[in-house]
Amino acid sequence: MDAPRQRSLHQTAVEQFQRAADLIGVAEPTRTILAHPKNEVIVNFPVELDDGSWEMFRGYRIQHSNILGPFKGGIRFHPDVDLDEVTALAGWMTFKCALVGIPLGGAKGGVTIDPSAYSSAELQRVVRRFTHALGSNIGPEHDIPAPDVGTNSQMMDWLMDTYANMSGPNNRQMVKGVVTGKSLATGGSVGREEATGRGVLYALRHWCGETGERLDSLGVSVQGFGNVGSHFSRLAAQEGCRIQVVGDHTGTIGAEKGLDVESLSTWVREHGGVAGFPDADVLSTEELFSTPADVFVPAALENQVTGPRATAMDCRLIIEAANGPTTPEAEAIFAEQGVEIIPDILANAGGVVVSYFEWLQNKSARYWTEEDVDDRLRKILWEAHDNVVARRAELRCSRREAAYAVALDRLVEVYELRGIFP
Ligand code: GLU
C-alpha cells in the first residue's frame, strides 16, 4: 500500500513551515535554526536472535528543538525508517508541541526493522540494546521517547526498565518519566493509548461545529487500523459516524451501511489485520481512496495521499491522523477543489498532549482519573483548533499555514527573548 518516497520528506516539512514563516515574516536566524535538527544521533548495535545468530540494527534519535522544553517524540519500528524520515518527523513534533502550547520540544527516533518478523523476546533485546546505545542522549529532563508506528506500551516498559537499570540506585525511582506511553501498571497514564484517536475525533467535532454538519450524518473512510486508526474508528462509530471503508497493510474492506467497528477491532487483534473480516465487501487499495466519503482519515504512514489518488478522491475533509500523509501535489489539488485539510500537527496532537500528562504524573507521583485526562485534553485541543481558525481568518490562508503560524508565534517569541548563545 505504501507509495514510493519521491522526494525528501524533511524538505517537504521545511517547506511547510517556511510558507507560514513567509506569511508572518519570521526573520533569520530563527528560520534557519528551525530548518535544521539540533542533534542527530545514529547508533548501530548487534542483537542476538532466538536461533543464536546475530543481526546488526541501525537506530536513530533526531532531536530537532528543545527551546520550549525537553525533546519529545515517538520511536518508530518500521523497515522504511531512515535519517530523512526521522528528521522530518522530529521537526513536526516541535511544531506540534508549540501549536498546542505544551512545554516540550521535538524529537523522533526509530529502528530500521520489520517488527512482525521478530519474536517478542528478540524485540525486547532490540529495545533494550537500542536504549543502552542511546545512553545519556535520552532522559526525563532531556529527551523523552514514546510509542509511534510499530511500537507499543510493552516496548516503552522495556525502555524504561533498561534506563532505570542504567541509572544509579539513588535515581532509579525518579526516571519513570524517561518515556511516555508506558503500561498503566508501570506508570503510564489512563487514556494515553487512545489519546491520539480521541484527538482526531475532537478535530472532526470541531469541524462539525464550524460547518454545522452532524457527526451522525457523516460517512468516513480510514487508512490504517493501528495505534491511531482503530481507536479513532471506535470512538467515531460510538458517536454515530458511519465507518464505511477501512484499509491497512493486509487489505481494504467496506460496508455502505458502516462497518461494525467493535467486531473489527476484535478481528484485527486476533488476525493481525482487516483482511478476511466477515460481513464486509473486499475492496482494492485504490478503492480505499476513490470510494466517495464525507471524511477521509489517513492514519498510516507519510506520503499516502498522492496527486493521482487526490484526483480520484471524492470527499470534503481530510483529517491527517498520520504524520505527513498528504504530498504537496495532493495538497494543491485539494486546495483547488476546496477540500479542507486538518493538518497533522493539529489533528494528531492528542497523543503527545497525554504524554505530557503522563510525564507530569510521573514527576509528581500522583495519578489522575480518566475524567481529568479527558477534560484537560479536550480543553487544550479545543483551544488549539480555535486559535488556528482565528489565525486563519486573520491571515486568509490554509489551515496548515495557520497552524504553523500559531506554532511559530510561540517559537519566535522565545527565540527573541532568549537570544542566541553565546
Ligand atoms: N508518536 C506520537 C506523535 O507522532 C506521539 C509522540 C509522543 O507522545 O511523544 O505525535
Side-chain angles (χ1 to χ4, degrees), residues 72-76 89 93 96 108 144-149 180-181 192 196 323 348-349 351-356:
K72 184 82 191 83
I75 290 189
R76 177 172 292 200
L89 291 162
M93 287 308 304
K96 196 182 299 186
K108 202 78 164 204
I144 306 145
D148 194 77
V149 174
T180 59
R192 173 62 186 86
T196 310
N323 291 306
N348 69 35
V352 74
V353 170
V354 179
S355 276
Y356 168 54

mmCIF file with all atom_site columns, all heavy atoms in Angstrom, residues 72-76 89 93 96 108 144-149 180-181 192 196 323 348-349 351-356, ligand 1:
data_model
loop_
_atom_site.group_PDB
_atom_site.id
_atom_site.type_symbol
_atom_site.label_atom_id
_atom_site.label_alt_id
_atom_site.label_comp_id
_atom_site.label_asym_id
_atom_site.label_entity_id
_atom_site.label_seq_id
_atom_site.pdbx_PDB_ins_code
_atom_site.Cartn_x
_atom_site.Cartn_y
_atom_site.Cartn_z
_atom_site.occupancy
_atom_site.B_iso_or_equiv
_atom_site.pdbx_formal_charge
_atom_site.auth_seq_id
_atom_site.auth_comp_id
_atom_site.auth_asym_id
_atom_site.auth_atom_id
_atom_site.pdbx_PDB_model_num
ATOM   1   N N   . LYS A 1 72  ? 10.930 15.781 22.701 1.00 0.00 ? 72  LYS A N   1
ATOM   2   C CA  . LYS A 1 72  ? 9.808  14.849 22.910 1.00 0.00 ? 72  LYS A CA  1
ATOM   3   C C   . LYS A 1 72  ? 9.349  14.274 21.582 1.00 0.00 ? 72  LYS A C   1
ATOM   4   O O   . LYS A 1 72  ? 9.179  15.015 20.625 1.00 0.00 ? 72  LYS A O   1
ATOM   5   C CB  . LYS A 1 72  ? 8.627  15.601 23.552 1.00 0.00 ? 72  LYS A CB  1
ATOM   6   C CG  . LYS A 1 72  ? 7.458  14.694 23.903 1.00 0.00 ? 72  LYS A CG  1
ATOM   7   C CD  . LYS A 1 72  ? 7.681  14.005 25.219 1.00 0.00 ? 72  LYS A CD  1
ATOM   8   C CE  . LYS A 1 72  ? 6.684  12.900 25.488 1.00 0.00 ? 72  LYS A CE  1
ATOM   9   N NZ  . LYS A 1 72  ? 7.036  11.601 24.846 1.00 0.00 ? 72  LYS A NZ  1
ATOM   10  N N   . GLY A 1 73  ? 9.125  12.969 21.535 1.00 0.00 ? 73  GLY A N   1
ATOM   11  C CA  . GLY A 1 73  ? 8.582  12.355 20.325 1.00 0.00 ? 73  GLY A CA  1
ATOM   12  C C   . GLY A 1 73  ? 8.770  10.857 20.331 1.00 0.00 ? 73  GLY A C   1
ATOM   13  O O   . GLY A 1 73  ? 9.551  10.311 21.107 1.00 0.00 ? 73  GLY A O   1
ATOM   14  N N   . GLY A 1 74  ? 8.034  10.199 19.459 1.00 0.00 ? 74  GLY A N   1
ATOM   15  C CA  . GLY A 1 74  ? 7.958  8.742  19.464 1.00 0.00 ? 74  GLY A CA  1
ATOM   16  C C   . GLY A 1 74  ? 9.181  8.038  18.915 1.00 0.00 ? 74  GLY A C   1
ATOM   17  O O   . GLY A 1 74  ? 10.134 8.660  18.442 1.00 0.00 ? 74  GLY A O   1
ATOM   18  N N   . ILE A 1 75  ? 9.116  6.705  19.008 1.00 0.00 ? 75  ILE A N   1
ATOM   19  C CA  . ILE A 1 75  ? 10.120 5.823  18.417 1.00 0.00 ? 75  ILE A CA  1
ATOM   20  C C   . ILE A 1 75  ? 9.385  4.877  17.479 1.00 0.00 ? 75  ILE A C   1
ATOM   21  O O   . ILE A 1 75  ? 8.430  4.207  17.875 1.00 0.00 ? 75  ILE A O   1
ATOM   22  C CB  . ILE A 1 75  ? 10.865 5.026  19.504 1.00 0.00 ? 75  ILE A CB  1
ATOM   23  C CG1 . ILE A 1 75  ? 11.753 5.991  20.279 1.00 0.00 ? 75  ILE A CG1 1
ATOM   24  C CG2 . ILE A 1 75  ? 11.672 3.886  18.887 1.00 0.00 ? 75  ILE A CG2 1
ATOM   25  C CD1 . ILE A 1 75  ? 12.702 5.329  21.229 1.00 0.00 ? 75  ILE A CD1 1
ATOM   26  N N   . ARG A 1 76  ? 9.829  4.854  16.229 1.00 0.00 ? 76  ARG A N   1
ATOM   27  C CA  . ARG A 1 76  ? 9.164  4.057  15.195 1.00 0.00 ? 76  ARG A CA  1
ATOM   28  C C   . ARG A 1 76  ? 9.980  2.809  14.881 1.00 0.00 ? 76  ARG A C   1
ATOM   29  O O   . ARG A 1 76  ? 11.200 2.906  14.732 1.00 0.00 ? 76  ARG A O   1
ATOM   30  C CB  . ARG A 1 76  ? 9.031  4.942  13.945 1.00 0.00 ? 76  ARG A CB  1
ATOM   31  C CG  . ARG A 1 76  ? 8.431  4.266  12.761 1.00 0.00 ? 76  ARG A CG  1
ATOM   32  C CD  . ARG A 1 76  ? 8.163  5.271  11.655 1.00 0.00 ? 76  ARG A CD  1
ATOM   33  N NE  . ARG A 1 76  ? 7.102  6.214  12.012 1.00 0.00 ? 76  ARG A NE  1
ATOM   34  C CZ  . ARG A 1 76  ? 6.409  6.925  11.127 1.00 0.00 ? 76  ARG A CZ  1
ATOM   35  N NH1 . ARG A 1 76  ? 6.657  6.808  9.840  1.00 0.00 ? 76  ARG A NH1 1
ATOM   36  N NH2 . ARG A 1 76  ? 5.467  7.762  11.519 1.00 0.00 ? 76  ARG A NH2 1
ATOM   37  N N   . LEU A 1 89  ? 10.029 13.857 10.883 1.00 0.00 ? 89  LEU A N   1
ATOM   38  C CA  . LEU A 1 89  ? 9.111  13.575 11.989 1.00 0.00 ? 89  LEU A CA  1
ATOM   39  C C   . LEU A 1 89  ? 9.511  14.338 13.253 1.00 0.00 ? 89  LEU A C   1
ATOM   40  O O   . LEU A 1 89  ? 8.655  14.791 14.019 1.00 0.00 ? 89  LEU A O   1
ATOM   41  C CB  . LEU A 1 89  ? 9.070  12.067 12.261 1.00 0.00 ? 89  LEU A CB  1
ATOM   42  C CG  . LEU A 1 89  ? 8.397  11.218 11.153 1.00 0.00 ? 89  LEU A CG  1
ATOM   43  C CD1 . LEU A 1 89  ? 8.778  9.748  11.283 1.00 0.00 ? 89  LEU A CD1 1
ATOM   44  C CD2 . LEU A 1 89  ? 6.885  11.378 11.198 1.00 0.00 ? 89  LEU A CD2 1
ATOM   45  N N   . MET A 1 93  ? 7.262  17.293 15.423 1.00 0.00 ? 93  MET A N   1
ATOM   46  C CA  . MET A 1 93  ? 6.989  17.257 16.879 1.00 0.00 ? 93  MET A CA  1
ATOM   47  C C   . MET A 1 93  ? 7.186  18.645 17.499 1.00 0.00 ? 93  MET A C   1
ATOM   48  O O   . MET A 1 93  ? 6.423  19.059 18.367 1.00 0.00 ? 93  MET A O   1
ATOM   49  C CB  . MET A 1 93  ? 7.886  16.234 17.590 1.00 0.00 ? 93  MET A CB  1
ATOM   50  C CG  . MET A 1 93  ? 7.538  14.779 17.358 1.00 0.00 ? 93  MET A CG  1
ATOM   51  S SD  . MET A 1 93  ? 5.824  14.282 17.664 1.00 0.00 ? 93  MET A SD  1
ATOM   52  C CE  . MET A 1 93  ? 5.589  14.785 19.354 1.00 0.00 ? 93  MET A CE  1
ATOM   53  N N   . LYS A 1 96  ? 4.206  20.703 16.593 1.00 0.00 ? 96  LYS A N   1
ATOM   54  C CA  . LYS A 1 96  ? 3.008  20.155 17.240 1.00 0.00 ? 96  LYS A CA  1
ATOM   55  C C   . LYS A 1 96  ? 2.926  20.616 18.700 1.00 0.00 ? 96  LYS A C   1
ATOM   56  O O   . LYS A 1 96  ? 1.898  21.101 19.160 1.00 0.00 ? 96  LYS A O   1
ATOM   57  C CB  . LYS A 1 96  ? 3.098  18.619 17.173 1.00 0.00 ? 96  LYS A CB  1
ATOM   58  C CG  . LYS A 1 96  ? 1.832  17.870 17.438 1.00 0.00 ? 96  LYS A CG  1
ATOM   59  C CD  . LYS A 1 96  ? 2.072  16.340 17.386 1.00 0.00 ? 96  LYS A CD  1
ATOM   60  C CE  . LYS A 1 96  ? 2.576  15.867 16.036 1.00 0.00 ? 96  LYS A CE  1
ATOM   61  N NZ  . LYS A 1 96  ? 2.664  14.379 15.967 1.00 0.00 ? 96  LYS A NZ  1
ATOM   62  N N   . LYS A 1 108 ? 12.423 12.648 17.346 1.00 0.00 ? 108 LYS A N   1
ATOM   63  C CA  . LYS A 1 108 ? 11.840 11.387 16.894 1.00 0.00 ? 108 LYS A CA  1
ATOM   64  C C   . LYS A 1 108 ? 12.947 10.359 16.809 1.00 0.00 ? 108 LYS A C   1
ATOM   65  O O   . LYS A 1 108 ? 14.111 10.708 16.557 1.00 0.00 ? 108 LYS A O   1
ATOM   66  C CB  . LYS A 1 108 ? 11.211 11.558 15.509 1.00 0.00 ? 108 LYS A CB  1
ATOM   67  C CG  . LYS A 1 108 ? 10.164 10.536 15.193 1.00 0.00 ? 108 LYS A CG  1
ATOM   68  C CD  . LYS A 1 108 ? 8.876  10.894 15.898 1.00 0.00 ? 108 LYS A CD  1
ATOM   69  C CE  . LYS A 1 108 ? 7.684  10.171 15.370 1.00 0.00 ? 108 LYS A CE  1
ATOM   70  N NZ  . LYS A 1 108 ? 6.452  10.917 15.658 1.00 0.00 ? 108 LYS A NZ  1
ATOM   71  N N   . ILE A 1 144 ? 12.502 12.604 25.827 1.00 0.00 ? 144 ILE A N   1
ATOM   72  C CA  . ILE A 1 144 ? 11.509 11.649 26.326 1.00 0.00 ? 144 ILE A CA  1
ATOM   73  C C   . ILE A 1 144 ? 10.811 10.947 25.155 1.00 0.00 ? 144 ILE A C   1
ATOM   74  O O   . ILE A 1 144 ? 9.920  11.522 24.528 1.00 0.00 ? 144 ILE A O   1
ATOM   75  C CB  . ILE A 1 144 ? 10.473 12.408 27.200 1.00 0.00 ? 144 ILE A CB  1
ATOM   76  C CG1 . ILE A 1 144 ? 11.189 13.205 28.290 1.00 0.00 ? 144 ILE A CG1 1
ATOM   77  C CG2 . ILE A 1 144 ? 9.447  11.441 27.789 1.00 0.00 ? 144 ILE A CG2 1
ATOM   78  C CD1 . ILE A 1 144 ? 10.515 14.525 28.614 1.00 0.00 ? 144 ILE A CD1 1
ATOM   79  N N   . PRO A 1 145 ? 11.200 9.712  24.850 1.00 0.00 ? 145 PRO A N   1
ATOM   80  C CA  . PRO A 1 145 ? 10.535 8.970  23.773 1.00 0.00 ? 145 PRO A CA  1
ATOM   81  C C   . PRO A 1 145 ? 9.099  8.557  24.116 1.00 0.00 ? 145 PRO A C   1
ATOM   82  O O   . PRO A 1 145 ? 8.610  8.790  25.231 1.00 0.00 ? 145 PRO A O   1
ATOM   83  C CB  . PRO A 1 145 ? 11.420 7.734  23.576 1.00 0.00 ? 145 PRO A CB  1
ATOM   84  C CG  . PRO A 1 145 ? 12.734 8.072  24.202 1.00 0.00 ? 145 PRO A CG  1
ATOM   85  C CD  . PRO A 1 145 ? 12.381 9.002  25.339 1.00 0.00 ? 145 PRO A CD  1
ATOM   86  N N   . ALA A 1 146 ? 8.439  7.914  23.171 1.00 0.00 ? 146 ALA A N   1
ATOM   87  C CA  . ALA A 1 146 ? 7.035  7.466  23.299 1.00 0.00 ? 146 ALA A CA  1
ATOM   88  C C   . ALA A 1 146 ? 6.779  6.481  22.168 1.00 0.00 ? 146 ALA A C   1
ATOM   89  O O   . ALA A 1 146 ? 7.624  6.306  21.300 1.00 0.00 ? 146 ALA A O   1
ATOM   90  C CB  . ALA A 1 146 ? 6.101  8.676  23.171 1.00 0.00 ? 146 ALA A CB  1
ATOM   91  N N   . PRO A 1 147 ? 5.606  5.842  22.147 1.00 0.00 ? 147 PRO A N   1
ATOM   92  C CA  . PRO A 1 147 ? 5.312  4.941  21.021 1.00 0.00 ? 147 PRO A CA  1
ATOM   93  C C   . PRO A 1 147 ? 5.062  5.703  19.712 1.00 0.00 ? 147 PRO A C   1
ATOM   94  O O   . PRO A 1 147 ? 4.691  6.879  19.725 1.00 0.00 ? 147 PRO A O   1
ATOM   95  C CB  . PRO A 1 147 ? 4.021  4.230  21.457 1.00 0.00 ? 147 PRO A CB  1
ATOM   96  C CG  . PRO A 1 147 ? 3.826  4.558  22.894 1.00 0.00 ? 147 PRO A CG  1
ATOM   97  C CD  . PRO A 1 147 ? 4.518  5.838  23.150 1.00 0.00 ? 147 PRO A CD  1
ATOM   98  N N   . ASP A 1 148 ? 5.238  5.003  18.621 1.00 0.00 ? 148 ASP A N   1
ATOM   99  C CA  . ASP A 1 148 ? 4.888  5.508  17.292 1.00 0.00 ? 148 ASP A CA  1
ATOM   100 C C   . ASP A 1 148 ? 4.551  4.272  16.448 1.00 0.00 ? 148 ASP A C   1
ATOM   101 O O   . ASP A 1 148 ? 4.272  3.211  17.016 1.00 0.00 ? 148 ASP A O   1
ATOM   102 C CB  . ASP A 1 148 ? 6.064  6.322  16.706 1.00 0.00 ? 148 ASP A CB  1
ATOM   103 C CG  . ASP A 1 148 ? 5.662  7.156  15.506 1.00 0.00 ? 148 ASP A CG  1
ATOM   104 O OD1 . ASP A 1 148 ? 5.038  8.213  15.697 1.00 0.00 ? 148 ASP A OD1 1
ATOM   105 O OD2 . ASP A 1 148 ? 5.962  6.762  14.361 1.00 0.00 ? 148 ASP A OD2 1
ATOM   106 N N   . VAL A 1 149 ? 4.604  4.389  15.138 1.00 0.00 ? 149 VAL A N   1
ATOM   107 C CA  . VAL A 1 149 ? 4.281  3.247  14.271 1.00 0.00 ? 149 VAL A CA  1
ATOM   108 C C   . VAL A 1 149 ? 5.163  2.039  14.645 1.00 0.00 ? 149 VAL A C   1
ATOM   109 O O   . VAL A 1 149 ? 6.386  2.165  14.741 1.00 0.00 ? 149 VAL A O   1
ATOM   110 C CB  . VAL A 1 149 ? 4.518  3.629  12.790 1.00 0.00 ? 149 VAL A CB  1
ATOM   111 C CG1 . VAL A 1 149 ? 4.325  2.419  11.881 1.00 0.00 ? 149 VAL A CG1 1
ATOM   112 C CG2 . VAL A 1 149 ? 3.616  4.775  12.385 1.00 0.00 ? 149 VAL A CG2 1
ATOM   113 N N   . THR A 1 180 ? 7.163  8.008  27.743 1.00 0.00 ? 180 THR A N   1
ATOM   114 C CA  . THR A 1 180 ? 5.715  8.006  27.966 1.00 0.00 ? 180 THR A CA  1
ATOM   115 C C   . THR A 1 180 ? 5.063  6.945  27.074 1.00 0.00 ? 180 THR A C   1
ATOM   116 O O   . THR A 1 180 ? 5.723  6.366  26.217 1.00 0.00 ? 180 THR A O   1
ATOM   117 C CB  . THR A 1 180 ? 5.101  9.385  27.691 1.00 0.00 ? 180 THR A CB  1
ATOM   118 O OG1 . THR A 1 180 ? 5.395  9.739  26.334 1.00 0.00 ? 180 THR A OG1 1
ATOM   119 C CG2 . THR A 1 180 ? 5.657  10.435 28.635 1.00 0.00 ? 180 THR A CG2 1
ATOM   120 N N   . GLY A 1 181 ? 3.781  6.714  27.323 1.00 0.00 ? 181 GLY A N   1
ATOM   121 C CA  . GLY A 1 181 ? 3.096  5.644  26.587 1.00 0.00 ? 181 GLY A CA  1
ATOM   122 C C   . GLY A 1 181 ? 3.366  4.290  27.213 1.00 0.00 ? 181 GLY A C   1
ATOM   123 O O   . GLY A 1 181 ? 3.215  3.253  26.559 1.00 0.00 ? 181 GLY A O   1
ATOM   124 N N   . ARG A 1 192 ? -3.892 7.278  27.633 1.00 0.00 ? 192 ARG A N   1
ATOM   125 C CA  . ARG A 1 192 ? -2.808 7.559  26.680 1.00 0.00 ? 192 ARG A CA  1
ATOM   126 C C   . ARG A 1 192 ? -2.955 6.748  25.404 1.00 0.00 ? 192 ARG A C   1
ATOM   127 O O   . ARG A 1 192 ? -2.716 7.248  24.313 1.00 0.00 ? 192 ARG A O   1
ATOM   128 C CB  . ARG A 1 192 ? -1.429 7.281  27.322 1.00 0.00 ? 192 ARG A CB  1
ATOM   129 C CG  . ARG A 1 192 ? -0.232 7.385  26.354 1.00 0.00 ? 192 ARG A CG  1
ATOM   130 C CD  . ARG A 1 192 ? -0.100 8.792  25.775 1.00 0.00 ? 192 ARG A CD  1
ATOM   131 N NE  . ARG A 1 192 ? 0.928  8.920  24.759 1.00 0.00 ? 192 ARG A NE  1
ATOM   132 C CZ  . ARG A 1 192 ? 0.756  8.660  23.461 1.00 0.00 ? 192 ARG A CZ  1
ATOM   133 N NH1 . ARG A 1 192 ? -0.418 8.250  23.008 1.00 0.00 ? 192 ARG A NH1 1
ATOM   134 N NH2 . ARG A 1 192 ? 1.744  8.830  22.598 1.00 0.00 ? 192 ARG A NH2 1
ATOM   135 N N   . THR A 1 196 ? -4.451 9.700  20.843 1.00 0.00 ? 196 THR A N   1
ATOM   136 C CA  . THR A 1 196 ? -4.298 10.275 19.504 1.00 0.00 ? 196 THR A CA  1
ATOM   137 C C   . THR A 1 196 ? -5.612 10.130 18.738 1.00 0.00 ? 196 THR A C   1
ATOM   138 O O   . THR A 1 196 ? -6.092 11.085 18.111 1.00 0.00 ? 196 THR A O   1
ATOM   139 C CB  . THR A 1 196 ? -3.133 9.609  18.743 1.00 0.00 ? 196 THR A CB  1
ATOM   140 O OG1 . THR A 1 196 ? -1.987 9.606  19.589 1.00 0.00 ? 196 THR A OG1 1
ATOM   141 C CG2 . THR A 1 196 ? -2.801 10.359 17.471 1.00 0.00 ? 196 THR A CG2 1
ATOM   142 N N   . ASN A 1 323 ? 1.326  11.341 10.471 1.00 0.00 ? 323 ASN A N   1
ATOM   143 C CA  . ASN A 1 323 ? 2.221  12.470 10.239 1.00 0.00 ? 323 ASN A CA  1
ATOM   144 C C   . ASN A 1 323 ? 2.608  12.496 8.766  1.00 0.00 ? 323 ASN A C   1
ATOM   145 O O   . ASN A 1 323 ? 3.061  11.479 8.221  1.00 0.00 ? 323 ASN A O   1
ATOM   146 C CB  . ASN A 1 323 ? 3.482  12.331 11.093 1.00 0.00 ? 323 ASN A CB  1
ATOM   147 C CG  . ASN A 1 323 ? 3.191  12.521 12.572 1.00 0.00 ? 323 ASN A CG  1
ATOM   148 O OD1 . ASN A 1 323 ? 2.609  13.534 12.971 1.00 0.00 ? 323 ASN A OD1 1
ATOM   149 N ND2 . ASN A 1 323 ? 3.561  11.553 13.399 1.00 0.00 ? 323 ASN A ND2 1
ATOM   150 N N   . ASN A 1 348 ? -3.330 15.211 15.087 1.00 0.00 ? 348 ASN A N   1
ATOM   151 C CA  . ASN A 1 348 ? -2.864 14.048 15.860 1.00 0.00 ? 348 ASN A CA  1
ATOM   152 C C   . ASN A 1 348 ? -2.131 14.428 17.140 1.00 0.00 ? 348 ASN A C   1
ATOM   153 O O   . ASN A 1 348 ? -1.433 13.595 17.734 1.00 0.00 ? 348 ASN A O   1
ATOM   154 C CB  . ASN A 1 348 ? -2.054 13.081 14.983 1.00 0.00 ? 348 ASN A CB  1
ATOM   155 C CG  . ASN A 1 348 ? -0.713 13.650 14.559 1.00 0.00 ? 348 ASN A CG  1
ATOM   156 O OD1 . ASN A 1 348 ? -0.060 14.373 15.295 1.00 0.00 ? 348 ASN A OD1 1
ATOM   157 N ND2 . ASN A 1 348 ? -0.263 13.298 13.365 1.00 0.00 ? 348 ASN A ND2 1
ATOM   158 N N   . ALA A 1 349 ? -2.318 15.674 17.597 1.00 0.00 ? 349 ALA A N   1
ATOM   159 C CA  . ALA A 1 349 ? -1.584 16.147 18.776 1.00 0.00 ? 349 ALA A CA  1
ATOM   160 C C   . ALA A 1 349 ? -2.070 15.539 20.095 1.00 0.00 ? 349 ALA A C   1
ATOM   161 O O   . ALA A 1 349 ? -1.411 15.680 21.131 1.00 0.00 ? 349 ALA A O   1
ATOM   162 C CB  . ALA A 1 349 ? -1.660 17.675 18.861 1.00 0.00 ? 349 ALA A CB  1
ATOM   163 N N   . GLY A 1 351 ? -2.026 12.603 21.210 1.00 0.00 ? 351 GLY A N   1
ATOM   164 C CA  . GLY A 1 351 ? -1.081 11.631 21.788 1.00 0.00 ? 351 GLY A CA  1
ATOM   165 C C   . GLY A 1 351 ? -0.008 12.312 22.618 1.00 0.00 ? 351 GLY A C   1
ATOM   166 O O   . GLY A 1 351 ? 0.222  11.945 23.782 1.00 0.00 ? 351 GLY A O   1
ATOM   167 N N   . VAL A 1 352 ? 0.605  13.333 22.053 1.00 0.00 ? 352 VAL A N   1
ATOM   168 C CA  . VAL A 1 352 ? 1.691  13.972 22.810 1.00 0.00 ? 352 VAL A CA  1
ATOM   169 C C   . VAL A 1 352 ? 1.141  14.798 23.975 1.00 0.00 ? 352 VAL A C   1
ATOM   170 O O   . VAL A 1 352 ? 1.810  14.954 25.002 1.00 0.00 ? 352 VAL A O   1
ATOM   171 C CB  . VAL A 1 352 ? 2.639  14.778 21.894 1.00 0.00 ? 352 VAL A CB  1
ATOM   172 C CG1 . VAL A 1 352 ? 2.013  16.078 21.406 1.00 0.00 ? 352 VAL A CG1 1
ATOM   173 C CG2 . VAL A 1 352 ? 3.963  15.045 22.609 1.00 0.00 ? 352 VAL A CG2 1
ATOM   174 N N   . VAL A 1 353 ? -0.084 15.285 23.849 1.00 0.00 ? 353 VAL A N   1
ATOM   175 C CA  . VAL A 1 353 ? -0.659 16.023 24.987 1.00 0.00 ? 353 VAL A CA  1
ATOM   176 C C   . VAL A 1 353 ? -0.821 15.077 26.188 1.00 0.00 ? 353 VAL A C   1
ATOM   177 O O   . VAL A 1 353 ? -0.437 15.421 27.322 1.00 0.00 ? 353 VAL A O   1
ATOM   178 C CB  . VAL A 1 353 ? -2.010 16.683 24.612 1.00 0.00 ? 353 VAL A CB  1
ATOM   179 C CG1 . VAL A 1 353 ? -2.703 17.225 25.851 1.00 0.00 ? 353 VAL A CG1 1
ATOM   180 C CG2 . VAL A 1 353 ? -1.794 17.805 23.597 1.00 0.00 ? 353 VAL A CG2 1
ATOM   181 N N   . VAL A 1 354 ? -1.345 13.864 25.944 1.00 0.00 ? 354 VAL A N   1
ATOM   182 C CA  . VAL A 1 354 ? -1.496 12.943 27.079 1.00 0.00 ? 354 VAL A CA  1
ATOM   183 C C   . VAL A 1 354 ? -0.125 12.382 27.504 1.00 0.00 ? 354 VAL A C   1
ATOM   184 O O   . VAL A 1 354 ? 0.079  12.056 28.670 1.00 0.00 ? 354 VAL A O   1
ATOM   185 C CB  . VAL A 1 354 ? -2.555 11.860 26.810 1.00 0.00 ? 354 VAL A CB  1
ATOM   186 C CG1 . VAL A 1 354 ? -2.667 10.898 27.983 1.00 0.00 ? 354 VAL A CG1 1
ATOM   187 C CG2 . VAL A 1 354 ? -3.921 12.521 26.570 1.00 0.00 ? 354 VAL A CG2 1
ATOM   188 N N   . SER A 1 355 ? 0.837  12.344 26.592 1.00 0.00 ? 355 SER A N   1
ATOM   189 C CA  . SER A 1 355 ? 2.211  12.021 27.002 1.00 0.00 ? 355 SER A CA  1
ATOM   190 C C   . SER A 1 355 ? 2.722  13.061 28.007 1.00 0.00 ? 355 SER A C   1
ATOM   191 O O   . SER A 1 355 ? 3.389  12.725 28.990 1.00 0.00 ? 355 SER A O   1
ATOM   192 C CB  . SER A 1 355 ? 3.155  12.015 25.793 1.00 0.00 ? 355 SER A CB  1
ATOM   193 O OG  . SER A 1 355 ? 3.125  10.774 25.136 1.00 0.00 ? 355 SER A OG  1
ATOM   194 N N   . TYR A 1 356 ? 2.409  14.298 27.720 1.00 0.00 ? 356 TYR A N   1
ATOM   195 C CA  . TYR A 1 356 ? 2.790  15.380 28.645 1.00 0.00 ? 356 TYR A CA  1
ATOM   196 C C   . TYR A 1 356 ? 2.134  15.152 30.011 1.00 0.00 ? 356 TYR A C   1
ATOM   197 O O   . TYR A 1 356 ? 2.778  15.264 31.055 1.00 0.00 ? 356 TYR A O   1
ATOM   198 C CB  . TYR A 1 356 ? 2.380  16.724 28.028 1.00 0.00 ? 356 TYR A CB  1
ATOM   199 C CG  . TYR A 1 356 ? 2.434  17.920 28.946 1.00 0.00 ? 356 TYR A CG  1
ATOM   200 C CD1 . TYR A 1 356 ? 3.597  18.235 29.652 1.00 0.00 ? 356 TYR A CD1 1
ATOM   201 C CD2 . TYR A 1 356 ? 1.321  18.753 29.107 1.00 0.00 ? 356 TYR A CD2 1
ATOM   202 C CE1 . TYR A 1 356 ? 3.636  19.337 30.505 1.00 0.00 ? 356 TYR A CE1 1
ATOM   203 C CE2 . TYR A 1 356 ? 1.362  19.853 29.940 1.00 0.00 ? 356 TYR A CE2 1
ATOM   204 C CZ  . TYR A 1 356 ? 2.525  20.137 30.639 1.00 0.00 ? 356 TYR A CZ  1
ATOM   205 O OH  . TYR A 1 356 ? 2.563  21.222 31.477 1.00 0.00 ? 356 TYR A OH  1
HETATM 206 N N1  . GLU B 2 .   ? 4.344  9.397  18.153 1.00 0.00 ? 1   GLU B N1  1
HETATM 207 C C1  . GLU B 2 .   ? 3.312  10.312 18.506 1.00 0.00 ? 1   GLU B C1  1
HETATM 208 C C2  . GLU B 2 .   ? 3.307  11.512 17.589 1.00 0.00 ? 1   GLU B C2  1
HETATM 209 O O1  . GLU B 2 .   ? 3.768  11.446 16.477 1.00 0.00 ? 1   GLU B O1  1
HETATM 210 C C3  . GLU B 2 .   ? 3.362  10.675 19.992 1.00 0.00 ? 1   GLU B C3  1
HETATM 211 C C4  . GLU B 2 .   ? 4.620  11.310 20.473 1.00 0.00 ? 1   GLU B C4  1
HETATM 212 C C5  . GLU B 2 .   ? 4.702  11.457 21.997 1.00 0.00 ? 1   GLU B C5  1
HETATM 213 O O2  . GLU B 2 .   ? 3.754  11.140 22.672 1.00 0.00 ? 1   GLU B O2  1
HETATM 214 O O3  . GLU B 2 .   ? 5.752  11.899 22.436 1.00 0.00 ? 1   GLU B O3  1
HETATM 215 O O4  . GLU B 2 .   ? 2.796  12.547 17.906 1.00 0.00 ? 1   GLU B O4  1
#
